[in-house]
């Protein structure tokens, strides 16, 4: 149970192709948007589907795997940790971000033909 601190596990579909950036020292980072959906029936018996969007971040070798093998619509499973970032923009407004730093990834569906 020692590894359960701040652990997130999700299965969902990518909302867009991964966005790759190369930082100083040739360090690569990938940002992705993951949609997770839940379906249930409301009191009126109507089927309701709710979708939540999550921002994923992957670094280094895992970023390279994501950039080279993942595409929009692909179903993946991830394990990672939850991170919060706050910064003040040029108009002095605080911006809040919640991200999941991916530690492990499994491709559930094959690569989509583009």
């Amino acid at each position: 149970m020692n590894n359960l601190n701040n652990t997130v596990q999700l299965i969902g579909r990518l909302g867009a192709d991964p966005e790759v950036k190369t930082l100083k020292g040739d360090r690569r980072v990938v940002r992705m948007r993951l949609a997770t959906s839940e379906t249930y029936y409301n009191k009126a018996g109507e089927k309701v589907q709710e979708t939540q969007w999550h921002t994923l971040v992957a670094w280094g070798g895992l970023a390279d795997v994501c950039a080279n093998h993942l595409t929009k619509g692909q179903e993946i499973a991830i394990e990672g940790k939850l991170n919060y970032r706050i910064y003040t923009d040029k108009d002095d407004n605080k911006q809040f971000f919640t991200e999941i730093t991916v530690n492990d990834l499994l491709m559930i569906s094959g690569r989509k033909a583009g």
Side-chain angles (χ1 to χ4, degrees), residues 36-40 46-51:
T36 57
S37 296
E38 168 182 14
T39 303
Y40 63 92
E46 301 165 326
K47 188 175 181 179
V48 178
Q49 183 172 7
E50 290 184 353
T51 300

Side-chain angles (χ1 to χ4, degrees), residues 20-30 58-61 63-64:
V20 184
K21 286 188 182 178
T22 302
L23 307 175
K24 292 179 184 177
D26 288 333
R27 190 163 184 212
R28 288 175 44 119
V29 61
V30 168
W59 295 90
D64 293 335

Side-chain angles (χ1 to χ4, degrees), residues 21-83:
K21 286 188 182 178
T22 302
L23 307 175
K24 292 179 184 177
D26 288 333
R27 190 163 184 212
R28 288 175 44 119
V29 61
V30 168
R31 292 191 185 284
M32 302 173 283
R33 298 281 289 154
L34 184 74
T36 57
S37 296
E38 168 182 14
T39 303
Y40 63 92
Y41 291 91
N42 64 17
K43 289 182 180 181
E46 301 165 326
K47 188 175 181 179
V48 178
Q49 183 172 7
E50 290 184 353
T51 300
Q52 300 291 321
W53 287 94
H54 313 277
T55 301
L56 309 179
V57 179
W59 295 90
L62 187 56
D64 293 335
V65 169
C66 294
N68 294 326
H69 298 286
L70 298 181
T71 57
K72 177 181 178 177
Q74 202 167 357
E75 188 175 24
I76 62 171
I78 64 98
E79 180 183 63
K81 68 178 185 172
L82 202 55
N83 290 311

Side-chain angles (χ1 to χ4, degrees), residues 85-97:
R85 293 188 300 120
I86 302 172
Y87 83 92
T88 305
D89 66 15
K90 64 182 179 180
D91 297 324
D92 207 33
N93 297 314
K94 284 192 176 185
Q95 301 292 323
F96 299 86
F97 293 93

